[in-house]
Amino acid sequence: MFGAVAVFSLLIGFVLGGYVSAPEEPEVSPEPTAFTAESSLYDERIVHTFTPKVDQLLEYRVSYHVQSKPGPSIETVENRTESLSSDTPLVIEIENREPDTEYWVDIRIFDEFDRLVFDARISVGR
């Protein structure tokens, strides 16, 4: 009787031990979030809005470069972490706009899985 209990206990130990140490299934990445872009041109400024189509705040890595043509660079951002949602979009504003000048924004947005989810060059003006 004692031998049967020992064998049974040993089998349960192997089963539970195998269960506890079994490797976890790899997480499946969700579909990448789509973004919409909107640019608004005013007399003295330009406002670019980049909105993810997701309700909850998620972290993204954002890089962009703003430049006037012809002219100097206005702003450069490299790999800045932003928490964005449909209610909290990324806003890039260009102030002191010159009426006869063209402005460019080159932007790249990566999600938490390091996937490129938005990549654009937008020109506004003239």
Side-chain angles (χ1 to χ4, degrees), residues 4 73 84:
S73 291
L84 306 173

Side-chain angles (χ1 to χ4, degrees), residues 5-95:
V5 171
V7 170
F8 181 72
S9 296
L10 186 60
L11 286 173
I12 288 178
F14 282 130
V15 170
L16 291 178
Y19 178 75
V20 171
S21 67
E24 292 183 23
E25 292 290 320
E27 282 190 37
V28 176
S29 302
E31 288 296 314
T33 301
F35 274 74
T36 59
E38 181 179 319
S39 297
S40 301
L41 184 63
Y42 302 98
D43 288 339
E44 295 181 8
R45 65 190 174 104
I46 300 169
V47 178
H48 297 286
T49 306
F50 303 94
T51 308
K53 293 185 178 182
V54 63
D55 292 332
Q56 71 270 24
L57 279 173
L58 296 175
E59 285 195 356
Y60 296 91
R61 186 169 42 89
V62 177
S63 296
Y64 62 86
H65 179 77
V66 181
Q67 184 171 356
S68 60
K69 301 278 185 175
S73 291
I74 296 170
E75 182 179 15
T76 299
V77 169
E78 290 291 333
N79 297 317
R80 182 170 69 198
T81 300
E82 295 277 350
S83 295
L84 306 173
S85 72
S86 57
D87 291 331
T88 311
L90 174 67
V91 177
I92 301 172
E93 189 167 342
I94 302 167
E95 297 179 354

